[in-house]
Amino acid sequence: MLLIICIPNDIFWSMDKTMSNKECLLDENEREAMAGVYQELLLDHPQISPSAIATALCFMDVSAHFNLTQDAFFATFGLTSGRFSLLLLLKLGPITLTKLAKLAKVSKATMTQFIDGLEKDKFVLRVNDPKDKRTKLVTLTKKGIAILKKVMPQHLARLELFNKILNNDEVKHFLSYLQKIANGLDRTN
């Protein structure tokens, strides 16, 4: 497990004794300094639970690690995880940029840039909407379909690793907790 911020302070969490120093990107002094930063912030904000900060930091670390491993995997195919996700969304069929941006939770301008890159690499194509000539639809090309077919078996095998880390009951609870966190974040925005 690669922890970006490893704070071996019991106000947050204890560092796993089996974890080697090279798995943590911070040395002992930097970890202690980070713990001090958060302890100082907590003094100014006593209403904040130290365990809430520890949970958020740990969640961010695990997410960052997952994203780094995903990006390294997709890079072997000349993709990023974001580009792969868009290609997967396009399996729904031809779709407008606006709808694609909404599904991906990004702005239309950002989506336009993503699609420009995918179109340049010939993974997608913009076509006229037969129902409204003013609207363009984005669709997968043969090359886009081919890359998905090439990536999917290995991608799914990697996702199957979750079942080797967690048992079925743990997966059920984990998904429930993730949904609870997502719902809580939606209420705060």
Side-chain angles (χ1 to χ4, degrees):
M1 177 180 193
L2 171 74
L3 291 177
I4 308 291
I5 299 174
C6 308
I7 302 175
N9 187 307
D10 58 357
I11 195 168
F12 296 107
W13 67 85
S14 296
M15 192 167 81
D16 183 349
K17 301 296 182 213
T18 63
M19 185 171 61
S20 72
N21 285 336
K22 68 180 174 183
E23 290 174 313
C24 184
L25 297 181
L26 302 176
D27 67 27
E28 186 66 31
N29 291 333
E30 292 166 330
R31 290 192 300 271
E32 289 300 323
M34 284 303 299
V37 166
Y38 280 102
Q39 285 175 335
E40 187 177 318
L41 288 170
L42 286 171
L43 291 175
D44 293 336
H45 303 281
Q47 76 281 11
I48 304 296
S49 161
S51 65
I53 292 179
T55 301
L57 290 174
C58 188
F59 182 76
M60 289 186 293
D61 274 349
V62 171
S63 296
H65 180 59
F66 179 77
N67 289 336
L68 287 171
T69 60
Q70 287 290 89
D71 286 341
F73 167 73
F74 288 120
T76 63
F77 296 95
L79 295 172
T80 64
S81 56
R83 288 168 61 109
F84 173 77
S85 295
L86 287 177
L87 294 173
L88 207 52
L89 281 174
L90 287 166
K91 287 285 287 177
L92 296 170
I95 191 168
T96 65
L97 273 173
T98 302
K99 176 82 173 195
L100 201 52
K102 187 175 182 177
L103 289 170
K105 297 181 173 133
V106 298
S107 71
K108 188 176 174 193
T110 298
M111 183 54 64
T112 299
Q113 290 178 331
F114 288 146
I115 296 303
D116 287 347
L118 288 170
E119 191 173 35
K120 180 181 172 216
D121 292 339
K122 302 194 182 337
F123 289 125
V124 302
L125 185 65
R126 287 182 176 101
V127 296
N128 288 327
D129 185 341
K131 297 176 188 168
D132 181 356
K133 297 292 182 205
R134 298 168 296 163
T135 304
K136 292 281 190 182
L137 298 174
V138 181
T139 188
L140 287 171
T141 61
K142 287 181 182 178
K143 183 178 178 182
I145 293 167
I147 194 71
L148 281 174
K149 283 183 179 179
K150 185 176 179 184
V151 173
M152 283 309 290
Q154 291 176 59
H155 174 62
L156 293 174
R158 290 172 50 79
L159 295 181
E160 180 64 21
L161 291 175
F162 279 108
N163 283 343
K164 292 183 174 137
I165 297 168
L166 302 173
N167 65 39
N168 288 341
D169 196 44
E170 290 170 328
V171 168
K172 182 178 155 187
H173 289 294
F174 181 64
L175 291 173
S176 171
Y177 297 144
L178 287 175
Q179 187 61 56
K180 190 173 184 177
I181 291 167
N183 291 342
L185 292 174
D186 286 344
R187 284 193 301 273
T188 61
N189 290 333

